[in-house]
Amino acid sequence: MSKWKRRRLLFMADVHEWRGTDPSEVLAGLHELAAEDPYDLEVLLAAAELLSDRAGRRTGTAREADLAASISLLHRCVPLVPPGDYDRWRVFNSLGQRLFLVAQGTDSPEPVAESVLAFREAVAATPHGDRMRQVNQFFLAVQLGEHFERSGDRDAPVEAVQVAREGYATVPPGDELSPMFRTVLITSLRHLAGATAQVEPLQEAVGLAREALSEAGSTSARAGAQFDLVRALRALYDATTDARLLVEAVDLSEQCLAATPRRDPEFDTRRARLASAVRLLAQDRRDPDLMRRAIDLMRATIETPSAADEHADTLIDLIQSLASLHTMTDDPLALRDAELTARTALASAPDPGPWRTQAQLALAEALLYRSSVHARGTDAVALHEALGLFQHVAAATPPDHGERGYRLWLLGVTLNDLAKHGDGDTAAWRRQARQVFAEAASAAGPPIVRIKNYQQLGATEAALGDPHASLAAYEAAVALLPQLTPDWLSYRGNIIGLRQIEGLSEGAAAAALELGRPERALELLELSRGILHGRTLEARDLRLLRHRSPELHAEFLRLRTALNSGARDGNDESWADLIGRIRSLDGMAGFLRAPSVQALRRHAEQGPVVIVNVSGRRCDALILRADGEQPVLTVPLTGLTQADVITHLLRLTRAVFAGPNDPSLLARRDAQRELDAILRWLWDRVTSPVLDALGLTAPSSDTRPPPRIWWCPVGLMAYFPLHAAGRHDSGAQSGRATVMDRAVSSYTTTVRALADRFGPQAAGTTPHTLVVAVPDAENAPSLPGAAAEAAALAELLPNSLVLSGAQATYENVVRALPAHPVAHLSCHGLTSWENPAAGMLLLHDHLTRPLTVEQLSAMELPYADLAYLSACSTSNTHPDNADEALHITGAFQLAGYRRVIGTLWPVDDTTSVEITRATYADLTHGGSTPPRTELSARALHRAVRALRDRYPASPALWAGYVHVGH
């Protein structure tokens, strides 16, 4: 073919590409030229571009064929542009673009991975300073993000951030590439956070998104910037559970959607994101009206034909939202709609593909949930259907998939439910569950998922009659606990995570006890409870490690973060190796090691510590003593069952929270009788066997003062007033069968919690007292007793600092606490089951600056000694967090107070004044000495017992006061 014909064909190729017209004749000519000269780079590139351009106007197999032909031609071009050739970047840019188009039509990770390789070559082939280098960098960063989403390659976000940073830094101000680079950098930072479980990239992403919003000019540009900021805020919320971020995200989403025309192709995407953010906020606040609004937004998106791309994710969100609405309202229609929506999603899902797997998973979860909610797990039809779906999901989930462990856990739970309710061969179901949990525990995934699988495996092995395998599984679960509660996760986020392992400590202890190993049971209880308190203690070890070996300290933080992100890559072995190297350092032998029973028994020198453990298999009291030969004594509580505990807890809750406020005198009397019956039950089933084992078989007397005893209740037992158990109206004081007539009781979350977090106060210092009284907090009932307590303490403690009324502000109290080893706070206490971190003491300015559990827990008060919390329910928290002492009393203990006086339930205002006055009069010898805080347990005991002697039939008045610590 002549040179003239060649030039004409190339010209016509440009014309067809520009016009978007059918290039068939020109393509035929170009192919003829390529056959004559297979090394004609310009011809090959022109044909590849025309094929790609035509593919964009086609669909189905025709589109796929054109793209495949284009890519084939570009592969022929590669050998023609060796390194250093000017056209090399053009070839690889074109190849990357074509592979990008192929990737859009499939879920396969291969085209994206090839596209990444092509754009890497394009960047490397483009000189620095050339604008096309920046263009190639942009596409490379985009494709690296897509590669991460499809393959989970954790190196991809690292490279994407590097590439995007360089491109963003080199683009001149005002260049159209600048906002594009900023957007891809924000996305890359979100991916990096997901890959590494670090919060810093998300904080940077939010900062960049705010910067983009501040620079946005037009309405459309501002809406786009708002959308980017919403995604960054959502990601940061997911990592930190900081609800303020979610509130801002919802507000920005509202603004963004309002500024987006309905005909805008982004409208449906932005509405779907608003719905998702509203759903999360509704869950955070447990607000059914907000959840209904999220559901309405989702339904509107699904019903819009133009929103087809949003249907899949929105359907999944809708199913989860309907299930959540049911949990909030107990509305059976919401649960039915969740299942019907899941069936609709599954019916419309292509087979095979990830969307179908998601739909199967959603329907299976809805069926499992329906079975557990409505029929207590006896709906065999629903369970069998869920089982089949979960089996399909497991088969479709690759071994290295980050969700495999969680999906297998759901399958195992379904198998166990079938076993529990006698459907078929119970042992066969359990053997299948054992196999599933064992595989899931070793699958890729974050530690919390693996712990849950090991926990289920331990319970299943116990049910199959293999106590050794059961204990091994529980020990494996407990061994993973140090990998939890990363420093970057918010206090509330850690609380939510720890709720997921409720019951682990009880099961682990029961497994050890069944093998006759009480010492091991105690060690496992110490490791698996009070984890947030333990993290505070662990900080000392980390500071020492940083001092001894900065390199190992950095490696520890990096590896723990990687494990929390779900990365495995041999990290089990890496973790064990790292811990071994740390413990080999001088003075670091105890790093993250469970304290031995021999080390723990020294905390029982002043009196025994009684750990009360209740599980579905057995109930026991473990008595830790200072005895070196037999430090742990086991007392089987054969008359106690887990079902009994739950039943009596419900009774206790009604008696102490609802009964005292009932307008009916008869109802209030019945509540007192109910509480008295519970105290008798506690005596018969729990405390009497313990005191008998300790030899405390008779009441104390003036010549034989009562000994000290520490109660360490596990799980739901933390709600019961063990110190007040007994038959209080059984006769004269000398003959009463009660705990408080035989011992002075204190409580502790764990044995380790009795260790001093800080050193003792300097000798010769006076324990000055801070008195805080808030008789009239805004939006709260009046507390006249608070003023009366302040007046009484001003007489008994003449050198005290009194902050009362308007002086009792957040700033004044927080400033005064470090300087006063003794703190007395008389005010309202507010607890939150859904968000224990938000529990607070109602100071004068609590509406604007609340003093919360989270803030108190973060304080470090080296000289803190005694905190007396004269407030309601300071020791109350969500049942799933009972082992963490996530309440106001526990927060003061975490802050450093060696002794804390608190309350289990709402207490009477007048009675509080009486007990306060009596306790401090005892501690100060009637006001003649500074308070002797080491006697606080005995002083409270005497004050409460005196009130009991006057009102034995009204236990709600006196049984709710507790002493925690030394």
Side-chain angles (χ1 to χ4, degrees), residues 95-108:
L95 180 57
Q97 299 278 12
R98 304 298 85 74
L99 289 165
F100 173 72
L101 292 174
V102 170
Q104 290 179 317
T106 176
D107 292 323
S108 171

Side-chain angles (χ1 to χ4, degrees), residues 279 282-283 287-295 321 324 328:
R279 175 176 75 86
Q283 287 178 331
D287 185 333
D289 291 331
L290 262 182
M291 188 61 74
R292 292 187 184 97
R293 178 158 184 264
I295 289 169
S321 300
S324 294
M328 295 176 189

Side-chain angles (χ1 to χ4, degrees), residues 771-776 786-787 790-791 801-809 812 826 844:
V771 178
V772 177
V774 189
D776 294 297
L801 170 64
V802 179
L803 298 175
S804 183
Q807 293 180 314
T809 63
N812 287 342
S826 181
H844 178 73

Side-chain angles (χ1 to χ4, degrees), residues 377-726:
T378 58
D379 188 342
V381 174
L383 282 176
H384 277 285
E385 185 180 1
L387 175 64
L389 289 165
F390 281 134
Q391 287 171 331
H392 281 294
V393 169
T397 307
D400 59 348
H401 193 287
E403 289 287 309
R404 183 167 178 79
Y406 172 69
R407 293 175 180 181
L408 287 175
W409 178 79
L410 288 169
L411 173 58
V413 167
T414 306
L415 289 164
N416 262 346
D417 274 2
L418 286 166
K420 287 176 187 175
H421 301 289
D423 187 82
D425 187 341
T426 298
W429 290 127
R430 285 194 171 124
R431 285 193 294 270
Q432 289 185 57
R434 172 172 60 189
Q435 183 178 354
V436 169
F437 288 131
E439 179 187 349
S442 59
I448 187 66
V449 175
R450 300 183 63 210
I451 289 169
K452 289 169 65 175
N453 277 295
Y454 273 125
Q455 183 178 355
Q456 286 283 352
L457 178 60
T460 304
E461 294 285 16
L464 286 169
D466 191 339
H468 292 280
S470 175
L471 179 57
Y474 277 116
E475 287 180 323
V478 172
L480 289 171
L481 290 175
Q483 297 174 17
L484 289 182
T485 64
D487 296 333
W488 52 264
L489 190 59
S490 71
Y491 185 82
R492 186 182 179 205
N494 280 315
I495 291 172
I496 293 171
L498 290 171
R499 280 185 185 175
Q500 299 182 56
I501 58 172
E502 185 265 335
L504 173 61
S505 55
E506 296 97 311
L513 287 168
E514 287 186 355
L515 291 173
R517 300 180 60 188
E519 289 83 5
R520 184 57 179 156
L522 179 56
E523 290 171 350
L524 289 170
L525 285 169
E526 284 296 300
L527 273 176
S528 56
R529 302 176 65 251
I531 293 173
L532 288 180
H533 189 106
R535 188 177 70 165
T536 303
L537 300 176
E538 174 194 304
R540 293 186 300 183
D541 283 347
L542 286 177
R543 285 194 291 269
L544 181 59
L545 175 61
R546 185 173 56 199
H547 174 72
R548 296 284 170 83
S549 175
E551 297 80 10
L552 289 179
H553 177 265
E555 187 177 348
F556 173 85
L557 296 180
R558 180 196 62 76
L559 186 53
R560 184 170 67 174
T561 297
L563 286 165
N564 266 279
S565 73
R568 294 292 306 281
D569 304 327
N571 276 326
D572 278 348
E573 294 76 15
S574 302
W575 177 265
D577 174 70
L578 174 62
I579 298 301
R581 285 186 284 137
I582 292 173
R583 288 175 179 170
S584 68
L585 297 175
D586 184 34
M588 298 298 296
F591 183 78
L592 293 189
R593 194 187 297 277
S596 67
V597 169
Q598 291 301 321
L600 290 171
R601 69 181 180 86
R602 65 184 179 85
H603 299 303
E605 291 175 352
Q606 301 302 314
V609 181
V610 180
I611 300 94
V612 182
N613 188 65
V614 174
S615 77
R617 301 202 300 278
R618 58 182 293 152
C619 302
D620 304 88
L622 299 176
I623 303 177
L624 177 66
R625 304 174 299 173
D627 188 334
E629 294 185 3
Q630 190 183 7
V632 181
L633 180 65
T634 304
V635 180
L637 302 176
T638 54
L640 188 67
T641 68
Q642 190 177 58
D644 275 348
V645 170
I646 294 171
T647 299
H648 283 80
L649 177 57
L650 294 174
R651 294 176 61 191
L652 175 70
T653 302
R654 288 192 296 268
V656 299
F657 286 96
N661 297 317
D662 197 294
S664 166
L665 178 62
L666 291 176
R668 294 199 299 273
R669 185 196 65 185
D670 289 344
Q672 295 287 1
R673 289 177 175 176
E674 181 79 331
L675 180 54
D676 182 69
I678 292 168
L679 297 182
R680 291 168 178 264
W681 168 78
L682 278 175
W683 172 259
D684 293 338
R685 299 290 189 268
V686 182
T687 59
S688 178
V690 169
L691 296 185
D692 287 348
L694 290 170
L696 302 178
T697 56
S700 59
S701 63
D702 293 337
T703 58
R704 189 173 60 82
R708 292 288 302 275
I709 186 172
W710 277 263
W711 298 100
C712 182
V714 178
L716 297 181
M717 290 304 300
Y719 289 89
F720 291 99
L722 298 171
H723 67 288

